[in-house]
Amino acid sequence: MTQQDWVRWHDAYDEPGSSLKDRLDIVRTWVGTALDEGAARVVSLCAGQGRDLLPVLAGHPRRGRVRARLVELDERNVAAARSAAPEGVEVVCGDAAVTGSYAGAVPADLVLACGIFGNITDDDIRRTVATLPQLCAPGAMVIWTRGRHEPDLVPAICAWFEGCGFERVAVEGEGTKYGVGVHRYAGPQVALEPAERMFTFIR
C-alpha cells in the first residue's frame, strides 16, 4: 500500500470547487461559530497545517484570548502550521492518537477531529468517540469529518457520539463526497487518562 503524502494532501484545499475545499469552508464556519460562542481552549487532532483553525483565529476579535494546541506527526506540516500560528497557539510534533499529547491543554471548549475518521477502522472511530469526553469541557463543541462514500458511515458515527454523551448540533454534506459533523458534549467532565491510544492510521 502506498504511503499517503500528508503534505501534498493539502493541495486540494487550494483547488476551487474541490470537495476538500468545500469541506474546509464548512469546518471554518463552525470554528468561527465556536469562537463566537466563547471557546477559549482549542485542541486539534491530526492538525496538518492547521488550515481549519489558524486563518479563522487570526481574523477573530477574540484571538488574543484563545489558547490552542495543534498535534501533528508530519514534521513538514508542523513547520507550516508553526509559521502561520499566532501567539497563544502551540503546534506539537507528536502522535495525535495518544491522549497524553493533550495533557495541559484540556479540557477544551473546541475539539477538531477532521481528516481522521476516513483513515482508521470503524472500531477505532468508536474508540475515539468514546475517548473524546476526556478532551472536552462540559458544553464543548466537537467538529469531525468523514467521507460519504458507500457504505456511508456518517449516520453510525452520529449514533456513536450520541451514545457517549454528545448532542447533535448539525450534520452537513449530504449528497456530496464529504460529511461534516458537529456535536456538543453534554456530559460531565472526565479525567484525562494520558496513556490511552485512540486510533491507528491504516493509510
Side-chain angles (χ1 to χ4, degrees):
M1 183 168 56
T2 302
Q3 184 70 30
Q4 177 70 265
D5 185 330
W6 293 110
V7 175
R8 294 189 62 187
W9 180 87
H10 287 74
D11 291 347
Y13 280 146
D14 300 319
E15 298 173 8
S18 73
S19 61
L20 196 60
K21 172 65 166 61
D22 292 343
R23 189 191 82 177
L24 176 63
D25 290 343
I26 292 174
V27 170
R28 284 177 173 174
T29 296
W30 282 107
V31 168
T33 297
L35 295 177
D36 290 345
E37 291 179 353
R41 302 186 81 180
V42 183
V43 294
S44 180
L45 291 66
C46 298
Q49 297 174 3
R51 296 204 195 183
D52 44 11
L53 172 67
L54 298 180
V56 181
L57 184 58
H60 198 274
R62 294 187 56 257
R63 60 186 177 274
R65 289 177 280 173
V66 174
R67 296 295 176 264
R69 180 179 296 175
L70 282 59
V71 183
E72 167 62 31
L73 192 57
D74 189 298
E75 294 180 355
R76 300 165 298 167
N77 284 332
V78 168
R82 284 175 176 164
S83 70
E87 185 177 355
V89 174
E90 177 188 17
V91 183
V92 174
C93 187
D95 190 347
V98 178
T99 50
S101 295
Y102 307 95
V106 295
D109 307 305
L110 172 61
V111 176
L112 298 173
C114 301
I116 298 174
F117 292 166
N119 298 293
I120 63 178
T121 66
D122 294 1
D123 285 345
D124 275 3
I125 297 173
R126 295 190 72 161
R127 182 178 299 106
T128 301
V129 170
T131 307
L132 284 177
Q134 296 184 28
L135 307 186
C136 291
M141 181 183 291
V142 177
I143 304 172
W144 55 273
T145 62
R146 162 75 186 209
R148 302 206 74 144
H149 51 272
E150 293 297 332
D152 183 1
L153 201 63
V154 168
I157 296 173
C158 287
W160 296 338
F161 267 98
E162 290 146 27
C164 292
F166 292 86
E167 296 177 349
R168 188 182 312 192
V169 177
V171 178
E172 301 199 43
E174 187 172 356
T176 71
K177 294 181 179 180
Y178 58 86
V180 178
V182 183
H183 278 79
R184 193 177 300 281
Y185 182 54
Q189 187 168 326
V190 178
L192 182 70
E193 298 290 342
E196 293 190 15
R197 171 165 287 277
M198 294 180 278
F199 56 83
T200 299
F201 266 43
I202 57 175
R203 294 190 182 183

